[in-house]
Coordinates of all heavy atoms in Angstrom, one line a residue:
M12 N 18.2 19.9 -8.5 CA 18.0 21.3 -8.1 C 16.9 21.9 -9.1 O 17.0 21.6 -10.3 CB 19.3 22.1 -8.1 CG 19.0 23.6 -7.9 SD 20.5 24.5 -7.6 CE 20.6 24.5 -5.9
L13 N 16.0 22.7 -8.6 CA 15.0 23.3 -9.5 C 15.4 24.7 -9.8 O 15.9 25.4 -9.0 CB 13.6 23.3 -8.7 CG 13.1 21.9 -8.3 CD1 11.8 22.1 -7.5 CD2 12.8 21.1 -9.6
H14 N 15.2 25.0 -11.1 CA 15.5 26.4 -11.5 C 14.2 26.9 -12.2 O 14.1 26.8 -13.4 CB 16.7 26.4 -12.5 CG 17.9 25.8 -11.9 ND1 18.7 26.6 -11.1 CD2 18.5 24.6 -12.0 CE1 19.7 25.9 -10.7 NE2 19.6 24.7 -11.2
P15 N 13.3 27.5 -11.4 CA 12.1 28.0 -12.0 C 12.3 29.1 -13.0 O 13.1 30.0 -12.8 CB 11.2 28.4 -10.9 CG 12.1 28.6 -9.7 CD 13.3 27.7 -10.0
R16 N 11.5 29.1 -14.1 CA 11.6 30.1 -15.1 C 10.1 30.7 -15.2 O 9.2 30.0 -14.8 CB 11.9 29.6 -16.5 CG 13.3 29.0 -16.5 CD 13.6 28.4 -17.9 NE 12.6 27.4 -18.4 CZ 12.6 26.1 -18.0 NH1 13.4 25.6 -17.2 NH2 11.6 25.4 -18.5
P17 N 10.0 31.9 -15.6 CA 8.7 32.5 -15.8 C 7.8 31.5 -16.6 O 8.2 31.0 -17.6 CB 8.9 33.8 -16.5 CG 10.3 34.2 -16.2 CD 11.0 32.8 -16.1
G18 N 6.6 31.3 -16.1 CA 5.7 30.4 -16.8 C 5.7 29.0 -16.4 O 4.8 28.2 -16.8
D19 N 6.7 28.6 -15.6 CA 6.7 27.1 -15.2 C 6.6 27.0 -13.6 O 7.0 25.9 -13.1 CB 7.8 26.4 -15.8 CG 9.2 26.8 -15.2 OD1 9.3 27.7 -14.4 OD2 10.2 26.1 -15.5
L20 N 6.1 28.0 -13.0 CA 6.0 27.9 -11.5 C 5.1 26.7 -11.1 O 5.3 26.0 -10.1 CB 5.4 29.2 -10.9 CG 6.5 30.2 -10.6 CD1 5.8 31.5 -10.0 CD2 7.5 29.7 -9.7
R21 N 4.0 26.5 -11.8 CA 3.0 25.4 -11.5 C 3.8 24.1 -11.6 O 3.6 23.3 -10.7 CB 1.9 25.4 -12.5 CG 0.9 24.3 -12.4 CD -0.1 24.4 -11.2 NE -0.9 25.5 -11.2 CZ -2.0 25.6 -11.8 NH1 -2.5 24.6 -12.6 NH2 -2.8 26.7 -11.7
E22 N 4.6 23.9 -12.6 CA 5.3 22.6 -12.7 C 6.3 22.5 -11.5 O 6.4 21.4 -10.9 CB 6.1 22.6 -14.0 CG 6.9 21.3 -14.2 CD 7.8 21.4 -15.4 OE1 7.5 22.2 -16.4 OE2 8.8 20.6 -15.5
V23 N 7.0 23.5 -11.1 CA 7.9 23.5 -10.0 C 7.2 23.2 -8.7 O 7.6 22.3 -7.9 CB 8.7 24.8 -9.9 CG1 9.5 24.8 -8.6 CG2 9.6 25.0 -11.1
A24 N 6.0 23.8 -8.5 CA 5.2 23.6 -7.3 C 4.8 22.1 -7.2 O 4.9 21.5 -6.2 CB 4.1 24.6 -7.2
E25 N 4.3 21.6 -8.3 CA 3.8 20.2 -8.3 C 5.0 19.3 -8.1 O 4.8 18.3 -7.4 CB 3.1 19.9 -9.6 CG 1.8 20.6 -9.8 CD 1.1 20.5 -11.1 OE1 1.7 19.9 -12.0 OE2 0.0 21.0 -11.3
R26 N 6.2 19.5 -8.6 CA 7.3 18.7 -8.3 C 7.7 18.7 -6.9 O 8.1 17.7 -6.3 CB 8.5 19.1 -9.2 CG 8.2 18.7 -10.7 CD 9.3 19.1 -11.6 NE 10.6 18.6 -11.3 CZ 11.8 19.0 -11.8 NH1 11.8 20.0 -12.7 NH2 12.9 18.5 -11.4
I27 N 7.6 19.9 -6.3 CA 7.9 20.0 -4.8 C 6.9 19.2 -4.0 O 7.3 18.4 -3.1 CB 7.9 21.5 -4.4 CG1 9.1 22.2 -5.0 CG2 7.9 21.6 -2.9 CD1 9.1 23.7 -4.8
E28 N 5.7 19.3 -4.4 CA 4.6 18.6 -3.6 C 4.8 17.1 -3.7 O 4.7 16.4 -2.8 CB 3.2 19.0 -4.1 CG 2.9 20.4 -3.7 CD 1.5 20.8 -4.3 OE1 1.0 20.2 -5.2 OE2 1.0 21.9 -3.8
V29 N 5.1 16.6 -4.9 CA 5.3 15.2 -5.2 C 6.5 14.7 -4.4 O 6.5 13.6 -3.8 CB 5.3 14.8 -6.7 CG1 5.8 13.4 -6.9 CG2 4.0 15.1 -7.3
S30 N 7.6 15.4 -4.5 CA 8.9 14.9 -4.0 C 9.0 15.0 -2.5 O 9.7 14.3 -1.8 CB 10.1 15.6 -4.6 OG 10.1 17.0 -4.3
T31 N 8.3 16.0 -1.9 CA 8.4 16.2 -0.4 C 7.1 15.9 0.4 O 7.2 15.7 1.6 CB 8.7 17.7 -0.1 OG1 7.6 18.5 -0.5 CG2 10.0 18.1 -0.8
G32 N 6.0 15.9 -0.3 CA 4.7 15.6 0.4 C 4.2 16.9 1.0 O 3.2 16.9 1.7
L33 N 4.9 18.0 0.9 CA 4.5 19.3 1.5 C 3.6 20.0 0.5 O 3.7 19.8 -0.7 CB 5.7 20.1 1.8 CG 6.7 19.5 2.8 CD1 7.9 20.4 2.9 CD2 6.0 19.4 4.2
G34 N 2.8 20.9 1.0 CA 1.9 21.7 0.1 C 2.6 23.0 -0.4 O 3.6 23.5 0.2
A35 N 2.2 23.4 -1.5 CA 2.8 24.6 -2.1 C 1.6 25.5 -2.6 O 0.5 24.9 -2.9 CB 3.7 24.3 -3.3
E36 N 1.8 26.8 -2.8 CA 0.8 27.7 -3.3 C 1.6 28.7 -4.2 O 2.7 29.0 -4.0 CB 0.1 28.5 -2.2 CG -0.7 27.7 -1.3 CD -1.3 28.5 -0.2 OE1 -0.7 29.5 0.3 OE2 -2.5 28.2 0.2
I37 N 0.9 29.2 -5.2 CA 1.4 30.2 -6.1 C 0.4 31.4 -6.0 O -0.7 31.2 -6.5 CB 1.6 29.8 -7.5 CG1 2.6 28.6 -7.6 CG2 2.1 31.0 -8.4 CD1 2.6 28.0 -9.0
I38 N 0.8 32.4 -5.3 CA -0.1 33.6 -5.2 C 0.6 34.8 -5.6 O 1.7 35.1 -5.1 CB -0.6 33.7 -3.7 CG1 -1.4 32.5 -3.3 CG2 -1.5 35.0 -3.5 CD1 -1.8 32.4 -1.9
G39 N 0.0 35.6 -6.5 CA 0.7 36.8 -7.0 C 2.0 36.6 -7.7 O 2.9 37.4 -7.6
G40 N 2.2 35.4 -8.3 CA 3.4 35.1 -9.0 C 4.5 34.6 -8.1 O 5.7 34.4 -8.5
S41 N 4.3 34.4 -6.8 CA 5.3 33.9 -5.9 C 4.9 32.5 -5.4 O 3.8 32.2 -5.0 CB 5.4 34.9 -4.7 OG 5.8 36.1 -5.1
L42 N 5.9 31.7 -5.4 CA 5.8 30.3 -4.9 C 6.0 30.3 -3.4 O 7.0 30.9 -2.9 CB 6.8 29.4 -5.6 CG 6.9 27.9 -5.1 CD1 5.6 27.2 -5.4 CD2 8.0 27.2 -5.8
G43 N 5.1 29.7 -2.6 CA 5.1 29.7 -1.2 C 4.8 28.3 -0.6 O 4.2 27.5 -1.3
M44 N 5.3 28.1 0.6 CA 5.0 26.9 1.3 C 4.3 27.2 2.6 O 5.0 27.6 3.5 CB 6.4 26.2 1.6 CG 7.2 25.9 0.4 SD 6.6 24.7 -0.8 CE 7.0 23.2 0.2
P45 N 3.0 27.1 2.6 CA 2.3 27.4 3.8 C 2.6 26.4 4.9 O 2.9 25.3 4.7 CB 0.8 27.3 3.4 CG 0.8 26.5 2.2 CD 2.1 26.6 1.5
P46 N 2.5 26.9 6.2 CA 2.8 25.9 7.3 C 1.8 24.8 7.4 O 0.6 25.0 7.0 CB 2.8 26.8 8.5 CG 1.9 28.0 8.1 CD 2.1 28.2 6.7
T47 N 2.2 23.7 7.9 CA 1.3 22.5 8.1 C 0.3 22.9 9.2 O 0.7 23.3 10.2 CB 2.1 21.3 8.4 OG1 3.1 21.1 7.4 CG2 1.2 20.1 8.6
P48 N -1.0 22.7 8.9 CA -2.0 23.0 10.0 C -1.7 22.2 11.2 O -1.4 21.0 11.2 CB -3.3 22.6 9.3 CG -3.0 22.6 7.9 CD -1.6 22.2 7.7
R49 N -2.0 22.8 12.4 CA -1.9 22.1 13.7 C -3.3 21.8 14.2 O -4.3 22.1 13.6 CB -1.2 23.1 14.7 CG 0.1 23.7 14.2 CD 1.2 22.8 14.4 NE 2.4 23.4 13.9 CZ 3.6 22.8 14.0 NH1 3.7 21.7 14.5 NH2 4.6 23.4 13.5
G50 N -3.3 21.1 15.4 CA -4.6 20.6 15.9 C -5.7 21.7 16.1 O -6.8 21.4 15.8
K51 N -5.3 22.9 16.6 CA -6.3 23.9 16.8 C -6.9 24.3 15.5 O -8.1 24.5 15.4 CB -5.7 25.1 17.5 CG -6.7 26.2 18.0 CD -6.0 27.2 18.8 CE -7.0 28.1 19.4 NZ -6.4 29.1 20.3
H52 N -6.1 24.5 14.4 CA -6.6 24.8 13.1 C -7.5 23.7 12.6 O -8.6 24.0 12.1 CB -5.4 25.0 12.2 CG -5.8 25.3 10.8 ND1 -5.9 24.4 9.8 CD2 -6.1 26.5 10.2 CE1 -6.2 24.9 8.7 NE2 -6.4 26.2 8.8
A53 N -7.1 22.5 12.7 CA -7.9 21.3 12.3 C -9.2 21.3 13.0 O -10.2 21.0 12.4 CB -7.1 20.0 12.5
G54 N -9.2 21.6 14.3 CA -10.5 21.6 15.0 C -11.4 22.7 14.5 O -12.6 22.5 14.4
T55 N -10.9 23.9 14.2 CA -11.7 25.0 13.7 C -12.3 24.6 12.3 O -13.5 24.8 12.1 CB -10.8 26.2 13.5 OG1 -10.3 26.6 14.8 CG2 -11.7 27.4 12.9
I56 N -11.5 24.0 11.5 CA -12.0 23.5 10.2 C -13.1 22.5 10.3 O -14.1 22.5 9.7 CB -10.8 23.0 9.3 CG1 -9.8 24.1 9.0 CG2 -11.3 22.3 8.0 CD1 -10.3 25.3 8.3
R57 N -12.9 21.5 11.2 CA -13.9 20.5 11.5 C -15.2 21.1 11.9 O -16.3 20.7 11.4 CB -13.4 19.5 12.5 CG -14.4 18.3 12.8 CD -13.9 17.5 13.9 NE -13.8 18.2 15.2 CZ -14.9 18.6 15.9 NH1 -16.1 18.3 15.6 NH2 -14.7 19.3 17.1
R58 N -15.1 22.0 12.9 CA -16.4 22.7 13.4 C -17.1 23.5 12.3 O -18.3 23.4 12.2 CB -16.1 23.5 14.6 CG -15.8 22.7 15.9 CD -15.6 23.6 17.1 NE -14.5 24.6 17.0 CZ -13.2 24.3 17.3 NH1 -12.9 23.0 17.6 NH2 -12.3 25.2 17.2
L59 N -16.3 24.2 11.5 CA -16.9 24.9 10.3 C -17.6 23.9 9.4 O -18.7 24.2 8.9 CB -15.9 25.7 9.6 CG -15.4 27.0 10.3 CD1 -14.2 27.6 9.5 CD2 -16.6 28.0 10.3
R60 N -16.9 22.9 9.0 CA -17.5 21.9 8.1 C -18.8 21.3 8.6 O -19.7 21.2 7.8 CB -16.4 20.8 7.8 CG -16.9 19.8 6.8 CD -15.8 18.8 6.5 NE -16.3 17.9 5.5 CZ -15.6 17.3 4.6 NH1 -14.3 17.4 4.7 NH2 -16.1 16.5 3.7
V61 N -18.8 20.9 9.9 CA -20.0 20.3 10.5 C -21.2 21.3 10.4 O -22.3 21.0 10.1 CB -19.7 19.9 11.9 CG1 -21.0 19.6 12.7 CG2 -18.8 18.7 12.0
Q62 N -20.9 22.6 10.6 CA -22.0 23.6 10.6 C -22.5 23.9 9.2 O -23.7 24.2 9.1 CB -21.4 24.9 11.2 CG -21.2 24.8 12.7 CD -20.7 26.1 13.2 OE1 -21.1 27.2 12.8 NE2 -19.7 26.1 14.2
I63 N -21.7 23.8 8.2 CA -22.1 24.2 6.8 C -22.5 23.1 5.9 O -23.3 23.3 5.0 CB -21.1 25.2 6.1 CG1 -19.8 24.4 5.9 CG2 -20.9 26.4 6.9 CD1 -18.8 25.2 5.1
E64 N -22.0 21.9 6.1 CA -22.2 20.8 5.2 C -23.6 20.5 4.9 O -24.0 20.4 3.7 CB -21.4 19.6 5.7 CG -21.4 18.5 4.6 CD -20.3 17.5 5.0 OE1 -19.9 17.3 6.1 OE2 -19.9 16.8 4.0
F65 N -24.4 20.4 5.9 CA -25.8 20.0 5.6 C -26.7 21.2 5.1 O -27.8 20.9 4.6 CB -26.5 19.5 6.9 CG -26.8 20.5 8.0 CD1 -28.0 21.1 8.0 CD2 -25.8 20.9 8.9 CE1 -28.3 22.1 9.0 CE2 -26.1 21.9 9.8 CZ -27.4 22.4 9.9
R66 N -26.1 22.4 5.1 CA -26.9 23.5 4.5 C -26.6 23.8 3.0 O -27.3 24.6 2.4 CB -26.5 24.8 5.3 CG -27.0 24.8 6.7 CD -26.6 26.1 7.4 NE -27.3 26.3 8.7 CZ -26.7 26.1 9.8 NH1 -25.4 25.7 9.9 NH2 -27.3 26.2 11.0
L67 N -25.7 23.1 2.5 CA -25.3 23.3 1.1 C -26.2 22.5 0.1 O -26.7 21.4 0.5 CB -23.9 22.8 0.8 CG -22.8 23.6 1.6 CD1 -21.4 22.9 1.4 CD2 -22.7 25.0 1.1
P68 N -26.4 23.0 -1.1 CA -27.2 22.3 -2.1 C -26.4 21.1 -2.5 O -25.2 21.0 -2.3 CB -27.4 23.3 -3.2 CG -26.3 24.3 -3.1 CD -26.0 24.3 -1.6
E69 N -27.0 20.1 -3.1 CA -26.4 18.8 -3.5 C -25.2 19.1 -4.5 O -24.3 18.2 -4.6 CB -27.4 17.9 -4.1 CG -28.3 17.3 -3.1 CD -29.3 16.3 -3.7 OE1 -29.1 15.8 -4.8 OE2 -30.3 16.0 -3.0
T70 N -25.2 20.2 -5.2 CA -24.1 20.4 -6.2 C -22.9 21.0 -5.6 O -21.8 21.1 -6.2 CB -24.7 21.5 -7.2 OG1 -25.1 22.6 -6.5 CG2 -25.8 20.9 -8.0
L71 N -22.9 21.3 -4.3 CA -21.7 21.9 -3.6 C -21.4 21.0 -2.4 O -22.2 20.4 -1.8 CB -22.0 23.3 -3.1 CG -22.3 24.4 -4.2 CD1 -22.7 25.7 -3.5 CD2 -21.1 24.5 -5.1
A72 N -20.1 21.1 -2.0 CA -19.6 20.3 -0.9 C -18.4 21.0 -0.3 O -17.6 21.6 -1.0 CB -19.3 18.9 -1.2
P73 N -18.1 20.9 1.0 CA -16.9 21.4 1.6 C -15.7 20.4 1.4 O -15.9 19.2 1.6 CB -17.3 21.5 3.1 CG -18.3 20.5 3.3 CD -19.0 20.3 2.0
Y74 N -14.6 21.0 1.1 CA -13.4 20.2 0.9 C -12.3 20.8 1.7 O -12.1 22.0 1.7 CB -13.0 20.1 -0.6 CG -14.0 19.4 -1.4 CD1 -15.0 20.1 -2.1 CD2 -14.0 18.0 -1.6 CE1 -16.0 19.5 -2.8 CE2 -14.9 17.4 -2.3 CZ -15.9 18.1 -3.0 OH -16.9 17.4 -3.7
E75 N -11.5 19.9 2.4 CA -10.4 20.4 3.2 C -9.1 20.3 2.4 O -8.9 19.4 1.7 CB -10.3 19.6 4.5 CG -11.5 19.7 5.4 CD -11.4 18.9 6.6 OE1 -10.3 18.6 7.1 OE2 -12.5 18.5 7.1
M76 N -8.3 21.4 2.6 CA -7.0 21.4 2.0 C -7.0 21.0 0.5 O -6.2 20.2 0.0 CB -6.0 20.4 2.7 CG -5.9 20.7 4.2 SD -5.3 22.4 4.5 CE -3.7 22.3 3.9
S77 N -7.9 21.7 -0.3 CA -8.0 21.4 -1.7 C -7.5 22.7 -2.5 O -8.0 23.8 -2.2 CB -9.4 21.1 -2.1 OG -9.9 19.9 -1.4
S78 N -6.7 22.5 -3.5 CA -6.2 23.6 -4.2 C -7.2 24.2 -5.2 O -7.9 23.5 -5.8 CB -4.9 23.1 -5.0 OG -3.9 22.7 -4.1
V79 N -7.2 25.5 -5.2 CA -8.2 26.3 -6.0 C -7.4 27.3 -6.8 O -6.5 28.0 -6.3 CB -9.2 27.0 -5.1 CG1 -10.1 27.9 -5.9 CG2 -9.9 26.1 -4.1
A80 N -7.6 27.2 -8.1 CA -6.9 28.1 -9.0 C -7.3 29.6 -8.7 O -8.4 29.9 -8.4 CB -7.3 27.8 -10.5
M81 N -6.3 30.5 -8.9 CA -6.5 31.9 -8.7 C -7.1 32.5 -10.0 O -6.5 32.2 -11.0 CB -5.2 32.6 -8.3 CG -4.6 32.0 -7.0 SD -5.6 32.2 -5.6 CE -5.4 33.9 -5.3
P82 N -8.1 33.3 -9.9 CA -8.7 33.9 -11.1 C -7.6 34.8 -11.7 O -6.8 35.4 -11.1 CB -9.8 34.8 -10.6 CG -10.0 34.4 -9.1 CD -8.8 33.7 -8.7
E83 N -7.6 34.9 -13.0 CA -6.7 35.8 -13.8 C -5.3 35.4 -13.7 O -4.4 36.2 -14.2 CB -6.9 37.2 -13.3 CG -8.3 37.7 -13.3 CD -9.0 37.7 -14.6 OE1 -8.3 38.0 -15.7 OE2 -10.2 37.5 -14.7
D84 N -4.9 34.2 -13.2 CA -3.5 33.8 -13.1 C -3.4 32.4 -13.5 O -3.8 31.5 -12.7 CB -2.9 34.1 -11.7 CG -1.5 33.7 -11.6 OD1 -0.9 33.2 -12.5 OD2 -0.9 34.0 -10.5
P85 N -2.9 32.1 -14.7 CA -2.9 30.7 -15.1 C -2.0 29.7 -14.3 O -2.2 28.5 -14.2 CB -2.3 30.7 -16.6 CG -1.7 32.1 -16.7 CD -2.3 33.0 -15.7
D86 N -1.0 30.3 -13.6 CA -0.2 29.5 -12.7 C -0.6 29.5 -11.3 O -0.3 28.6 -10.5 CB 1.3 29.9 -12.8 CG 2.0 29.5 -14.0 OD1 1.7 28.5 -14.6 OD2 3.0 30.2 -14.4
G87 N -1.3 30.5 -10.9 CA -1.6 30.7 -9.5 C -2.7 29.8 -8.9 O -3.7 29.4 -9.5
Y88 N -2.5 29.4 -7.7 CA -3.4 28.6 -6.9 C -3.1 28.7 -5.4 O -2.0 29.0 -5.0 CB -3.5 27.1 -7.3 CG -2.3 26.3 -7.0 CD1 -2.2 25.5 -5.9 CD2 -1.2 26.3 -7.8 CE1 -1.1 24.8 -5.6 CE2 -0.1 25.6 -7.6 CZ 0.0 24.8 -6.4 OH 1.1 24.0 -6.1
A89 N -4.2 28.6 -4.6 CA -4.1 28.6 -3.2 C -4.7 27.3 -2.6 O -5.5 26.7 -3.3 CB -4.8 29.8 -2.6
T90 N -4.3 26.9 -1.4 CA -4.8 25.7 -0.8 C -5.4 26.1 0.6 O -4.7 26.0 1.6 CB -3.8 24.6 -0.7 OG1 -3.2 24.4 -2.0 CG2 -4.4 23.3 -0.2
P91 N -6.7 26.6 0.6 CA -7.3 27.0 1.9 C -7.6 25.8 2.7 O -7.7 24.7 2.2 CB -8.5 27.7 1.4 CG -8.9 27.1 0.1 CD -7.6 26.8 -0.5
G92 N -7.7 26.0 4.0 CA -8.0 25.0 4.9 C -9.4 24.3 4.6 O -9.6 23.1 4.8
L93 N -10.3 25.1 4.1 CA -11.7 24.7 3.8 C -12.2 25.5 2.6 O -12.1 26.7 2.6 CB -12.6 24.8 5.0 CG -14.0 24.3 4.8 CD1 -14.0 22.7 4.7 CD2 -14.9 24.7 6.0
A94 N -12.7 24.8 1.6 CA -13.3 25.5 0.4 C -14.6 24.8 0.1 O -14.7 23.6 0.2 CB -12.3 25.4 -0.7
I95 N -15.5 25.6 -0.4 CA -16.8 25.1 -0.9 C -16.6 25.0 -2.4 O -16.4 26.0 -3.1 CB -18.0 26.0 -0.6 CG1 -18.0 26.3 0.9 CG2 -19.3 25.4 -1.1 CD1 -18.1 25.0 1.8
L96 N -16.7 23.8 -3.0 CA -16.5 23.5 -4.4 C -17.6 22.7 -5.0 O -18.4 22.1 -4.3 CB -15.2 22.7 -4.6 CG -13.9 23.3 -4.1 CD1 -12.8 22.3 -4.1 CD2 -13.6 24.6 -4.8
I97 N -17.7 22.8 -6.3 CA -18.8 22.0 -7.0 C -18.4 20.5 -6.9 O -17.2 20.1 -7.0 CB -18.9 22.4 -8.4 CG1 -17.6 22.3 -9.2 CG2 -19.5 23.8 -8.5 CD1 -17.8 22.6 -10.7
V98 N -19.4 19.7 -6.6 CA -19.2 18.3 -6.4 C -18.5 17.6 -7.6 O -17.7 16.6 -7.4 CB -20.5 17.6 -6.0 CG1 -20.3 16.1 -5.9 CG2 -21.0 18.2 -4.7
V99 N -18.8 18.0 -8.8 CA -18.2 17.3 -10.0 C -16.7 17.4 -10.0 O -16.1 16.6 -10.7 CB -18.8 17.8 -11.3 CG1 -20.3 17.4 -11.4 CG2 -18.6 19.3 -11.5
W100 N -16.2 18.4 -9.2 CA -14.7 18.5 -9.1 C -14.1 17.2 -8.6 O -13.0 16.8 -9.0 CB -14.4 19.6 -8.2 CG -12.9 19.7 -7.8 CD1 -11.9 20.2 -8.6 CD2 -12.3 19.3 -6.6 NE1 -10.7 20.1 -8.0 CE2 -10.9 19.6 -6.8 CE3 -12.8 18.8 -5.5 CZ2 -10.0 19.3 -5.7 CZ3 -11.9 18.5 -4.5 CH2 -10.5 18.8 -4.6
E101 N -14.8 16.4 -7.8 CA -14.3 15.1 -7.3 C -14.0 14.2 -8.4 O -13.1 13.3 -8.2 CB -15.3 14.5 -6.4 CG -15.6 15.1 -5.1 CD -16.7 14.4 -4.3 OE1 -16.9 13.2 -4.6 OE2 -17.3 15.1 -3.5
E102 N -14.7 14.2 -9.5 CA -14.6 13.2 -10.5 C -13.3 13.2 -11.2 O -12.8 12.2 -11.7 CB -15.8 13.4 -11.5 CG -17.1 13.1 -10.8 CD -18.3 13.4 -11.7 OE1 -18.1 13.7 -12.9 OE2 -19.4 13.4 -11.2
D103 N -12.6 14.4 -11.4 CA -11.4 14.4 -12.1 C -10.2 14.7 -11.2 O -9.0 14.4 -11.5 CB -11.4 15.3 -13.3 CG -11.6 16.8 -13.0 OD1 -11.3 17.2 -11.8 OD2 -11.9 17.5 -13.9
G104 N -10.4 15.3 -10.1 CA -9.4 15.6 -9.1 C -8.4 16.7 -9.6 O -7.4 16.9 -8.9
S105 N -8.7 17.3 -10.7 CA -7.7 18.4 -11.1 C -7.8 19.6 -10.3 O -8.7 19.7 -9.4 CB -8.1 18.7 -12.6 OG -9.3 19.3 -12.7
L106 N -7.0 20.5 -10.5 CA -7.0 21.8 -9.7 C -8.3 22.5 -10.0 O -8.6 22.7 -11.1 CB -5.8 22.7 -10.2 CG -5.4 23.9 -9.4 CD1 -5.0 23.5 -8.0 CD2 -4.4 24.6 -10.1
A107 N -9.0 22.8 -8.9 CA -10.3 23.5 -9.1 C -10.1 24.8 -9.7 O -9.3 25.6 -9.3 CB -11.0 23.6 -7.7
R108 N -10.9 25.1 -10.8 CA -10.7 26.4 -11.5 C -11.5 27.5 -10.9 O -11.1 28.6 -10.9 CB -11.2 26.2 -13.0 CG -10.3 25.4 -13.8 CD -9.2 26.4 -14.2 NE -8.0 25.5 -14.6 CZ -6.8 25.9 -14.4 NH1 -6.5 27.0 -13.8 NH2 -5.8 25.1 -14.8
R109 N -12.6 27.2 -10.3 CA -13.4 28.2 -9.6 C -13.9 27.6 -8.2 O -14.2 26.5 -8.2 CB -14.7 28.5 -10.4 CG -14.4 29.2 -11.7 CD -15.7 29.6 -12.3 NE -15.4 29.8 -13.8 CZ -16.0 29.1 -14.7 NH1 -17.0 28.2 -14.4 NH2 -15.7 29.3 -16.0
P110 N -13.9 28.5 -7.2 CA -14.3 28.0 -5.9 C -15.8 27.9 -5.8 O -16.3 27.7 -4.7 CB -13.7 29.0 -4.9 CG -13.6 30.2 -5.7 CD -13.4 29.8 -7.1
W111 N -16.6 28.0 -6.8 CA -18.1 27.9 -6.8 C -18.6 27.0 -7.8 O -18.0 26.7 -8.8 CB -18.7 29.3 -6.9 CG -18.2 30.1 -8.0 CD1 -18.7 30.1 -9.3 CD2 -17.1 31.0 -8.1 NE1 -18.0 30.9 -10.1 CE2 -17.0 31.4 -9.4 CE3 -16.2 31.4 -7.2 CZ2 -16.0 32.3 -9.8 CZ3 -15.2 32.3 -7.6 CH2 -15.1 32.7 -8.9

């Protein structure tokens, strides 16, 4: 059983993700479990990605379901369906600190 304490929400969220395979987010100090995307959502994300990918500079790329740290909150992060991130983020795979 998990007993989150202030300051360790990130650890709890990561343990949930590892043990269940489900995604978690921390927004505004609250731990949440967003619903799993369905086909219509996936189709929308695919169409958006196709439209914007070739227009981006080489330093940026679209990433699906990638966690992005929330500004001003050391524990907070969200996992949008599509995010534009710097390409070097791929090299370490850590939680993206800035979405640009």
